Amino acid sequence: MSSTSPLSASTSPVTTSSTVLIRSAADVSDLVNSGTARGRHAKMIVIIALGGIFLDAYDLSSLAYGLPDITEQFGLSSTMAGTVTASISVGSLLGALVGGWLVDRIGRYRVFMANMLFFVVTALVCAVAQDVWTLIAARFVMGIGVGMDIPVAIAFLAEFSRLRGKGSKGSRTAAWSPAWYTATSGCYLVIMLLYFLLPDAQLGWLWRFTVGFGAIPALLVLVLLLRRRYMNESPTWAADQGDLEGAARILRQSYGVDARVAEDAPATTPRPPKPGLAAYARLFTPPYRTRTIQSVTVGLAETFGYNAVAFGLPIIIATLMTQGPLTTIASSFALNLVFALTGGILGIRWASTRGAWPMMTLGFAIQFVAITVLGLIGDPSGTAFVTAGVLMLGAFMFAQGFGPGAHIMSYASLGFPTSMRGVSIGFNQAVLRLGSTLTLFFFPILSSGLGTRVYWVILAAPVLGLIALLAKHWEPVGFDADAEERTRFVTASRG
């Protein structure tokens, strides 16, 4: 499907000397999409939004290595251990549904503020939990913040970026992937440092320090938000709500553009209705139905494979590959930093030039090969097979970084307009969190019951992803969903 021109359904904003006059939400969207509006504060907003994603990944990863210690300290069964692991995903499912709606209803900035507060409080409660139910409850509430954060962070990345070229919406939404892997690598680095710093008798407390450390970056981001020095509301969202004066003010503050509302601007402008919870039904109306189904399907494939392999790395290396604790920590850190992060950086570079569909397809294909080889190796019987197994895990993580990991957010966000972007990402994330919850709950059980045969179960992930992509060649990068919505709205009004 060809991309709609950002100027196809509106008149471009008028520039008078150094002043930009805006008359409609379309003018604000076109100004941002064209790349004319640039500023340090806009870039800082992108960085802070990526910081939110960093915290999501850190909080989700922080218990990955500590689960055996938690199981021992609280005397947990494998079912209860799975409940501890999955509690954050259950919370994130609820957070994604409610957060996606709130992002479109009350704006991006307020929801982001709430998330950071969630992260600070829950990280500290988790770190000092004296019983398993307190830990589960705190992780659940932390999950609500995680679920709310993805819709708002991705909306910020899309709505403070140009449509095409360097720093485009496709590149910046793909940037969530290296931010995620930086966080998981950072988490393992914290674990490794604490492993060497803590006395042997205190290593059972390592997980508490790791989880509690997540409160520090969240607190720093919260301070920046409270000062309102760098973070601001999305100008396209404000304009979409009919607040042209607010959008112009944001453009002046965040972009340094002297934007003013033109005197002949209409007092009221047609706009989509304020979203209610029924807005989720709109995802299943043309032309969004096919995009919604495809984005959810590739997302489920991505999240199942990622959660089984990436979050299961300590289990795979320590149990299935029978390696010691230091090797497990070092290998998990290296696989995230060297392979996944490198792939994510390439995903940013390739997003604007190659698009999301080719990178997703290639990524799933590489993962199919990697998991197949791991299944054929089975129990590694020597150094050569262990090395080959680790390299296959690296190949999986590298493909995840530039392929499905980078671009599931492009499919969930760029095919939908500002008026429903939060809802589309929220619904996508809710379904993915359900898949994540089931994976995190059942993977420890499956890995202990099936051993290395669990790889053949994981193989279903890239197979499903390839089927969904080959069934419909839809390219979201470079597509202007706001212009498409305006055209459809004008056509419906005239009809």
Side-chain angles (χ1 to χ4, degrees), residues 222-244:
L222 185 60
V223 170
L224 287 175
L225 291 174
L226 289 171
R227 293 177 65 189
R228 293 188 71 100
R229 182 177 179 182
Y230 296 109
M231 204 65 173
N232 219 326
E233 185 54 78
S234 159
T236 53
W237 181 83
D240 205 53
Q241 303 303 300
D243 185 10
L244 291 183

Side-chain angles (χ1 to χ4, degrees), residues 37-212:
R38 301 180 184 181
R40 287 183 299 174
H41 281 201
K43 292 179 181 178
M44 191 65 184
I45 289 172
V46 170
I47 292 171
I48 294 175
L50 290 173
I53 293 173
F54 178 98
L55 289 168
D56 292 348
Y58 184 93
D59 288 335
L60 284 168
S61 305
S62 57
L63 283 187
Y65 179 78
L67 191 58
D69 289 324
I70 294 171
T71 301
E72 181 180 349
Q73 288 177 24
F74 296 126
L76 304 182
S77 64
S78 59
T79 300
M80 282 301 295
T83 302
V84 171
T85 306
S87 58
I88 191 170
S89 293
V90 176
S92 66
L93 190 158
L94 175 63
L97 279 176
V98 176
W101 169 67
L102 285 174
V103 164
D104 288 340
R105 179 91 180 177
I106 67 174
R108 283 58 167 143
Y109 179 84
R110 294 175 184 172
V111 176
F112 199 72
M113 279 278 291
N115 292 340
M116 295 303 108
L117 184 60
F118 273 47
F119 290 149
V120 172
V121 174
T122 55
L124 295 176
V125 173
C126 285
V128 299
Q130 296 302 303
D131 61 83
V132 67
W133 291 110
T134 300
L135 180 61
I136 289 172
R139 293 285 286 180
F140 172 78
V141 177
M142 180 184 285
I144 294 177
V146 169
M148 292 171 64
D149 185 68
I150 292 292
V152 68
I154 298 300
F156 270 130
L157 293 176
E159 292 165 18
F160 277 88
S161 306
R162 62 195 303 172
L163 188 64
R164 300 181 183 89
K166 185 178 180 181
S168 68
K169 298 180 188 297
S171 296
R172 284 183 172 168
T173 54
W176 88 282
S177 178
W180 190 279
Y181 298 126
T182 300
T184 52
S185 300
C187 182
Y188 283 115
L189 180 60
V190 169
I191 292 172
M192 188 180 300
L193 292 174
L194 290 172
Y195 181 86
F196 286 111
L197 291 174
L198 290 175
D200 291 344
Q202 301 298 322
L203 284 179
W205 287 66
L206 189 151
W207 69 270
R208 294 184 182 274
F209 288 105
T210 304
V211 173

Side-chain angles (χ1 to χ4, degrees), residues 272-305:
K274 203 170 184 65
L277 290 175
Y280 285 100
R282 191 180 171 200
L283 296 172
F284 295 93
T285 61
Y288 307 117
R289 182 191 302 118
T290 303
R291 300 172 198 173
T292 298
I293 294 172
Q294 186 176 44
S295 68
V296 166
T297 305
V298 296
L300 281 172
E302 183 274 341
T303 198
F304 172 50

Side-chain angles (χ1 to χ4, degrees), residues 297-309 364 367-368 371 396 400 404 455-468:
T297 305
V298 296
L300 281 172
E302 183 274 341
T303 198
F304 172 50
Y306 176 76
N307 279 288
V309 174
F364 278 128
Q367 290 182 342
F368 177 85
I371 296 300
F396 183 98
Q400 176 76 10
Y455 292 129
W456 301 116
V457 178
I458 300 173
L459 191 64
V463 170
L464 177 63
L466 287 170
I467 291 173

